[in-house]
Amino acid sequence: MVRKLWKFRNDKIRPDAVRAAAEQNNIPPIIASVLLNRGIEAGEFGAFLAKSKRDIKNPMTMLDMDKAAERIKKAVENKEKIVIYGDYDVDGITSTALLYDFLSSLGADVIYYIPDRKDEGYGINIMAVNKLMKEGMKLLITVDCGITAIGEVEFAKLQKVDVVITDHHTCKERIPEAADAVVDPKREDDDYGFDGLAGVGVAFKLVLALSMVMGLDTGECFDRYCDIAAIGTIADVVPLVDENRVIVDKGLKQLEEPRRPGLTELFKVAGIAGKKITASSIAFAVAPRMNAAGRLGTARTAVELLLTKDSARAAEIALELDNENKERQATEQQIHKEALELIAADANFQKKKIIVLAKEGWHNGVIGIVASRITEMFYRPCILLSLSNGVGKGSGRSIPGFNLFDALNECDDLLTNFGGHAVAAGLGINENNIEAFTKKINAYADGIMTEQDMIPSVKIDCILHENNISLAAARAIAKLEPYGMGNERPVFVIKDVEVIQISAVGADGKHLRMKIARNGVTAACIGFGLGEYVNEIQPGGRVHLAFRFDINTYQGNESLQLQLADIKMV
């Protein structure tokens, strides 16, 4: 079993401060405790819990948004050929569909283009620009890409094509200054106030800005597109705080009864139709199926799913995406198996803080998922490279405390290209540079990461007494949804409980089922992936539990369950 560190978010909040904050905001103390421990002041509780559209910032305060809106407005009015240039992941797919639908509704002469993951790779490429110019393109608008495309933008401008960049990725030292507008909340010179928007969040704000300059009802535009914006925001794993929290909350409410035929049909094949739609159900049921289009086929299929008004066509696409997702899963399992074989064959593996693996023929649309699984398994950053004709296309995932984008920047001389975030990035490299790259990025990691950084941890919100272990407490905590990065499901600790029953369940006994008791209060527990503890804990034993509240619903009846995050022996 992997022993985890328990890290308390804040153990200095006094009980009297919790009581005062709870009374001030008329909320249960358990919610006040979580919010205070997460650094949210009592005066900010109302806004956090309300998730009001009033907290959405004026899009025009984002740098260059006014230029972008005016240039697009001009193109719409003059019937200039507009091309929306997107990306093949869910963030790019939703960004493309959202902006295309809006501009189409204005009568714009607009098409969209998403590069092929395998043949073209991420971002703008000159071959695509040439192709689109032959189709009469006068304005190129990027969504979820473009912030590093300096040469490509300069090329487009030389060909008399105007360019509006909208992106959310980390900026390098230079941005594409030749563009008519560069909208990215991560620009160092932008004081917008929130740089955590997904690509679809930036596209969403662009639509709101366009509605303002064109005299449309901005509130109506928000309601019309917050469902698509929510899906992309959740899928891109950006922090669910600030504006993202409002977008996702309102979007999830819209998705309870989806208005788009494609989503109605996709929910059916994903098995979530008619159920409460949460950030988790979007992340694990909807996003993988939409992502499968860009990974194994063409992302245009997923864009069409969001745009079609034809229910029969929507059902066809949903089934196609479901089948592609199953194929993706099989491909992923094979790559994962081969990656583990490479790790087992590396005698120096334990000395490396960064895992770098490369193999001919790995599907570059799937390696990012496998990199994520390996990062989770070994709790160290992982980069997988798919080799073809002497060139590697890579995808990397990281852990808290190690900024992968910064690390790649340090190795820039060995890469053909790279981009991304602190925790996820893509890169290109010549095969003969892989060994040098592996050494250099590991040398960089040796100077940054400690052994402590490579031990997985559980963030604990607060310790609870047994009188807080109740269905009422679980219902109260649900007010903190939607959950995601930056607003994770709260984890609580209850100490010194007696184990009444314990058993391993699931395939190969991978999971753990327990019943616990303390001072007459009992609770059922489930521990996914914790089945091995059945060999260490006996009925009558005493343990400390880290857990999340869970509510089971069966035939209309609700019951409390504790979902275990970790166990420590007393």
Side-chain angles (χ1 to χ4, degrees):
M1 293 298 300
V2 177
R3 305 300 177 183
K4 298 178 181 178
L5 296 175
W6 288 12
K7 294 183 177 180
F8 288 82
R9 291 182 185 271
N10 189 343
D11 56 3
K12 296 185 174 67
I13 302 294
R14 300 189 318 275
D16 59 332
V18 172
R19 285 193 298 272
E23 291 173 4
Q24 177 183 337
N25 290 278
N26 193 28
I27 58 174
I30 191 172
I31 295 181
S33 182
V34 169
L35 294 178
L36 288 174
N37 286 336
R38 293 186 174 193
I40 300 172
E41 297 180 4
E44 300 170 344
F45 285 9
F48 185 88
L49 295 171
K51 296 161 283 193
S52 169
K53 285 195 287 186
R54 290 192 300 271
D55 296 318
I56 293 292
K57 296 173 175 59
N58 183 340
M60 288 301 190
T61 60
M62 197 180 297
L63 195 62
D64 272 12
M65 185 65 87
D66 55 344
K67 296 179 184 176
E70 290 297 337
R71 180 62 190 89
I72 295 169
K73 178 186 178 189
K74 176 185 173 185
V76 171
E77 292 173 343
N78 294 339
K79 296 293 182 181
E80 297 177 72
K81 186 80 166 187
I82 302 170
V83 175
I84 300 166
Y85 196 111
D87 185 27
Y88 37 66
D89 66 0
V90 179
D91 192 13
I93 288 165
T94 51
S95 301
T96 302
L98 189 157
L99 185 57
Y100 177 84
D101 187 86
F102 177 74
L103 292 180
S104 296
S105 72
L106 300 178
D109 182 2
V110 59
I111 63 172
Y112 60 87
Y113 184 89
I114 297 180
D116 181 270
R117 182 191 289 263
K118 184 178 180 181
D119 295 335
E120 298 175 84
Y122 171 80
I124 310 174
N125 67 82
I126 288 175
M127 286 180 60
V129 173
N130 270 322
K131 175 180 180 295
L132 294 166
M133 280 169 44
K134 291 175 182 176
E135 296 179 17
M137 172 177 65
K138 296 299 181 186
L139 175 62
L140 176 66
I141 308 171
T142 74
V143 288
D144 192 33
C145 65
I147 196 62
T148 61
I150 295 169
E152 292 83 356
V153 170
E154 290 174 348
F155 173 80
K157 290 295 292 182
L158 284 172
Q159 311 307 312
K160 309 300 183 186
V161 173
D162 284 350
V163 182
V164 169
I165 301 289
T166 77
D167 202 348
H168 74 120
H169 290 97
T170 304
C171 306
K172 295 184 180 180
E173 289 185 9
R174 286 185 62 204
I175 61 172
E177 294 98 343
D180 296 79
V182 179
V183 181
D184 187 332
K186 285 191 174 69
R187 285 181 59 172
E188 287 188 359
D189 51 349
D190 194 335
D191 57 1
Y192 177 66
F194 180 58
D195 67 358
L197 289 169
V200 72
V202 180
F204 185 47
K205 298 309 290 280
L206 174 62
V207 163
L208 297 182
L210 283 166
S211 72
M212 293 169 68
V213 300
M214 303 190 89
L216 304 175
D217 186 332
T218 303
E220 189 275 332
C221 284
F222 184 102
D223 293 339
R224 182 173 160 192
Y225 294 112
C226 65
D227 57 343
I228 298 180
I231 291 172
T233 297
I234 293 165
D236 214 52
V237 200
V238 291
L240 291 194
V241 297
D242 205 287
E243 289 188 292
N244 288 341
R245 181 169 166 79
V246 180
I247 291 169
V248 170
D249 180 70
K250 304 307 178 192
L252 289 175
K253 287 181 171 62
Q254 296 273 13
L255 291 168
E256 291 286 345
E257 295 182 10
R259 296 170 296 174
R260 304 176 199 278
L263 292 176
T264 298
E265 297 301 326
L266 190 64
F267 286 13
K268 289 178 184 176
V269 300
I272 61 171
K275 298 180 180 179
K276 177 178 170 60
I277 303 301
T278 65
S280 180
S281 54
I282 295 298
F284 294 107
V286 174
R289 288 171 170 83
M290 292 181 66
N291 248 332
R295 294 187 188 281
L296 300 184
T298 169
R300 292 184 66 89
T301 308
V303 177
E304 185 185 353
L305 178 90
L306 294 174
L307 295 175
T308 185
K309 304 292 193 294
D310 184 333
S311 294
R313 177 59 182 148
E316 289 176 6
I317 298 173
L319 186 59
E320 181 181 339
L321 294 181
D322 191 50
N323 289 333
E324 286 184 337
N325 189 51
K326 290 172 183 174
E327 183 182 346
R328 185 271 304 167
Q329 289 171 325
T331 304
E332 176 191 330
Q333 289 170 4
Q334 181 61 30
I335 295 174
H336 186 251
K337 176 177 175 289
E338 293 173 3
L340 293 182
E341 289 170 353
L342 290 176
I343 289 172
D346 184 357
N348 296 314
F349 174 73
Q350 292 299 337
K351 299 176 184 177
K352 297 173 181 175
K353 291 180 177 176
I354 311 295
I355 301 170
V356 181
L357 304 172
K359 189 165 182 178
E360 193 87 21
W362 277 349
H363 198 299
N364 61 20
V366 179
I367 54 176
I369 305 173
V370 181
S372 182
R373 288 180 62 187
I374 292 175
T375 294
E376 185 178 348
M377 178 180 290
F378 294 98
Y379 205 70
R380 63 186 79 179
C382 175
I383 296 169
L384 296 191
L385 297 160
S386 172
L387 302 179
S388 177
N389 299 319
V391 175
K393 291 184 179 179
S395 188
R397 299 294 184 270
S398 193
I399 59 176
F402 187 79
N403 188 310
L404 188 57
F405 181 87
D406 289 348
L408 293 177
N409 199 38
E410 288 293 318
C411 304
D412 191 25
D413 58 315
L414 295 171
L415 305 175
T416 56
N417 62 284
F418 74 94
H421 311 284
V423 295
L427 64 147
I429 187 170
N430 291 322
E431 185 174 357
N432 55 13
N433 282 339
I434 292 175
E435 184 176 351
F437 168 71
T438 303
K439 290 178 180 177
K440 188 167 185 177
I441 197 168
N442 269 281
Y444 173 78
D446 286 338
I448 297 291
M449 297 173 68
T450 66
E451 293 299 322
Q452 191 87 343
D453 291 328
M454 297 169 66
I455 301 174
S457 62
V458 179
K459 285 186 177 180
I460 309 297
D461 285 277
C462 52
I463 297 173
L464 295 183
H465 298 292
E466 62 272 12
N467 58 353
N468 290 122
I469 308 300
S470 66
L471 195 56
R475 290 182 180 130
I477 286 299
K479 296 181 186 298
L480 300 176
E481 295 180 9
Y483 298 131
M485 193 179 83
N487 185 47
E488 295 82 4
R489 282 179 66 192
V491 177
F492 303 99
V493 162
I494 183 168
K495 292 189 171 184
D496 195 17
V497 299
E498 181 183 358
V499 177
I500 306 300
Q501 297 171 359
I502 182 168
S503 61
V505 296
D508 303 319
K510 288 174 61 176
H511 311 305
L512 187 73
R513 191 178 298 282
M514 289 199 313
K515 185 177 181 181
I516 56 101
R518 179 177 164 84
N519 294 335
V521 176
T522 62
C525 308
I526 185 73
F528 296 112
L530 301 179
E532 291 182 37
Y533 275 108
V534 77
N535 300 316
E536 298 187 21
I537 304 169
Q538 301 297 321
R542 305 195 75 83
V543 294
H544 306 312
L545 301 179
F547 68 92
R548 301 175 180 90
F549 281 115
D550 201 15
I551 299 175
N552 276 333
T553 303
Y554 180 69
Q555 293 184 343
N557 296 316
E558 292 184 336
S559 62
L560 174 67
Q561 180 175 254
L562 308 185
Q563 189 179 110
L564 302 181
D566 199 29
I567 302 172
K568 290 191 183 298
M569 317 307 266
V570 172

